[in-house]
Amino acid sequence: MTSPHTEAVNGQLPHEPEKATLEGRNKVLGFWLFLGGEAVLFGTLFATFLALRNQTVEGPTANELFHLPLVGAATFILLVSSLTSVFAIQAMHKHNVKKLIFWLIVTVILGLGFLSLEIYEFYEYVVHKNFGMTTSAFSSAFYTLVGFHGAHVAFGIAWIGILIGQLYKKGLTVVTAPKIYVSAIYWHFIDVVWVFIFTVVYLLGKVV
């Protein structure tokens, strides 16, 4: 019986190596269940934000605060990173490890770009607009929701970075492939959540 690494070397991996073993399929299924719990958690944060979005007290309102060009640039970067993660999975299905690593690295770089803009946004709010975590109920709900998402992005960046290291060390195998696949699912999930944040928090804050 050949080892997973030997299979990768001899080009014997199936088209979808993430589903080649029962363990791999269980990882994918289990991760979908995990994301269901995450969706409920984010749903709770969205509901809290909507309930508190007008509780500004003496602090700035959403319309006074948000700068859509900056947030729009961050949104564009994150959406493009979702596309590059798709390219990574396509490369994995073609067993092209070099392209897989390349697209994962691009995804990480774009994720860092998004995170940098978000940190800069928070810095501007706190330093120049006196909008801190405890300024109002609105600010607490805002930083909790958006910051929680930012923490997920940071975790995703670290996770994909570790997987890149594993690819260099172990290659593409039926063990590493499911990990890469579920990391891509996770990355798409946080992209979808951000689309809701952009719409509910930023766009709605500007028009209502």
Side-chain angles (χ1 to χ4, degrees):
M1 182 176 179
T2 58
S3 68
H5 185 68
T6 303
E7 288 178 352
V9 172
N10 295 334
Q12 297 174 358
L13 283 172
H15 172 64
E16 297 182 339
E18 71 277 5
K19 301 177 182 177
T21 64
L22 178 61
E23 181 182 358
R25 292 191 293 272
N26 285 340
K27 283 182 179 178
V28 174
L29 176 60
F31 197 75
W32 277 112
L33 295 176
F34 166 75
L35 287 185
E38 285 283 284
V40 172
L41 180 55
F42 270 107
T44 302
L45 294 178
F46 273 109
T48 302
F49 174 82
L50 288 173
L52 300 176
R53 59 187 298 268
N54 293 321
Q55 307 300 316
T56 58
V57 193
E58 300 297 327
T61 65
N63 189 46
E64 296 168 341
L65 188 71
F66 297 146
H67 184 58
L68 287 185
L70 175 66
V71 182
T75 302
F76 176 77
I77 290 172
L78 197 61
L79 292 179
V80 172
S81 76
S82 189
L83 179 62
T84 59
S85 69
V86 171
F87 293 157
I89 296 302
Q90 289 177 341
M92 183 178 76
H93 288 165
K94 294 178 181 178
H95 307 159
N96 191 327
V97 179
K98 287 185 178 180
K99 280 191 176 181
L100 169 58
I101 292 174
F102 170 78
W103 286 118
L104 288 178
I105 290 174
V106 173
T107 301
V108 166
I109 292 172
L110 291 172
L112 288 171
F114 169 85
L115 207 56
S116 297
L117 288 179
E118 186 167 274
I119 292 172
Y120 173 76
E121 176 193 18
F122 286 1
Y123 171 81
E124 286 290 311
Y125 292 165
V126 172
V127 175
H128 297 295
K129 298 190 177 181
N130 196 28
F131 185 74
M133 182 75 179
T134 59
T135 300
S136 63
F138 163 58
S139 69
S140 297
F142 168 79
Y143 282 117
T144 300
L145 173 58
V146 181
F148 191 63
H149 175 269
H152 277 68
V153 174
F155 174 79
I157 291 170
W159 184 10
I160 296 173
I162 291 171
L163 292 178
I164 292 171
Q166 289 186 359
L167 283 171
Y168 275 114
K169 183 177 180 180
K170 301 178 180 179
L172 179 62
T173 72
V174 293
V175 175
T176 56
K179 298 176 183 179
I180 296 166
Y181 188 77
V182 296
S183 72
I185 295 175
Y186 175 85
W187 198 255
H188 293 316
F189 172 76
I190 59 178
D191 282 4
V192 170
V193 171
W194 179 256
V195 170
F196 280 99
I197 290 176
F198 180 69
T199 303
V200 174
V201 175
Y202 293 97
L203 291 184
L204 193 62
K206 275 295 190 181
V207 301
V208 179

